[in-house]
Amino acid sequence: MAGVRDVAAYILSQRGPMTAMKLQKLVYYSQAWHLVWEEEPLFTERIEAWANGPVIRELYREHRQRWELQSGEKLGGDPSRLTDSERETVNIVLGAYGDKAAHWLSELTHSEAPWKDARTSAGLDDGQRGDAEITRASMYEYYDSLTSEAAEEV
C-alpha cells in the first residue's frame, strides 16, 4: 500500500506544478474513489475536515507555508511505490478533477457529506479551525452512493 506522500509525489509527477490546496484535494479524491472501486484504502493516514476542506496533516507538514508545489517534488514520497491499481485510480481521479481550480475543488468538498458531517459532528462552524476526522466509512458510503445514483439513471 502506498503512503500519502507517495500518492502526492505521483500526482505531481503526472500533473506538474499546482497549489498545495489543489494537491490536498486531489489526494483526498484519490482516497475516496479508491475506497469505492477497490474497497480498500489507498493510504492509511488520517484525513481531517479543516476550514478549507479535507487535509491530510502528514502531507501538510511536507508543504507547509508553500503556495505552489513543483513537478517532480517527492514531498518525502516515492511515486514508484504505487501499484498498478493505485495508479489507475489516481489517473482516473486526475482525469475527472485534475483540470479544476483549487478553489472549485475546495467548494465541492464543502458541499459533500463527508466534510460537512465531520465538521457538524465536531461542532465546528464555517471557517472555524478544527481537526475532526473524515472517516473512511463516511467517504465510502457517500461516494459509493454517487455510483449507485449514476447506475440508476442509466
Side-chain angles (χ1 to χ4, degrees), residues 58-89:
E58 288 80 358
L59 180 57
Y60 175 79
R61 288 184 186 126
E62 296 293 330
H63 64 66
R64 185 178 181 183
Q65 298 181 339
R66 294 177 56 203
W67 173 255
E68 187 170 273
L69 305 168
Q70 300 303 313
S71 177
E73 282 195 57
K74 301 225 177 192
L75 300 173
D78 180 355
S80 71
R81 289 189 186 133
L82 276 71
T83 66
D84 289 343
S85 70
E86 292 167 343
R87 276 192 300 277
E88 181 179 5
T89 295

Side-chain angles (χ1 to χ4, degrees), residues 89-153:
T89 295
V90 175
N91 289 336
I92 294 168
V93 167
L94 292 178
Y97 300 96
D99 64 343
K100 308 296 186 206
H103 182 74
W104 189 92
L105 291 169
S106 182
E107 290 297 316
L108 181 61
T109 63
H110 285 211
S111 71
E112 296 173 330
W115 181 84
K116 291 190 323 189
D117 292 349
R119 292 192 54 88
T120 299
S121 294
L124 297 170
D125 294 324
D126 285 348
Q128 184 179 0
R129 289 183 176 207
D131 63 357
E133 181 176 10
I134 299 174
T135 66
R136 287 188 214 121
S138 71
M139 292 169 69
Y140 177 85
E141 181 179 319
Y142 176 76
Y143 294 101
D144 186 56
S145 76
L146 297 180
T147 63
S148 300
E149 290 172 14
E152 290 173 8
E153 291 175 5

Side-chain angles (χ1 to χ4, degrees), residues 27-37 47 139-140 143:
V27 170
Y28 168 78
Y29 281 117
S30 294
Q31 174 78 308
W33 289 108
H34 197 74
L35 287 167
V36 171
W37 296 328
I47 299 176
M139 292 169 69
Y140 177 85
Y143 294 101

Side-chain angles (χ1 to χ4, degrees), residues 21-61:
M21 179 189 280
K22 182 171 182 172
L23 179 64
Q24 285 279 354
K25 303 317 172 252
L26 292 174
V27 170
Y28 168 78
Y29 281 117
S30 294
Q31 174 78 308
W33 289 108
H34 197 74
L35 287 167
V36 171
W37 296 328
E38 301 297 327
E39 297 186 351
E40 64 182 22
L42 181 58
F43 53 84
T44 60
E45 291 85 354
R46 170 184 158 117
I47 299 176
E48 298 175 357
W50 288 18
N52 288 327
V55 172
I56 302 93
R57 188 178 298 266
E58 288 80 358
L59 180 57
Y60 175 79
R61 288 184 186 126

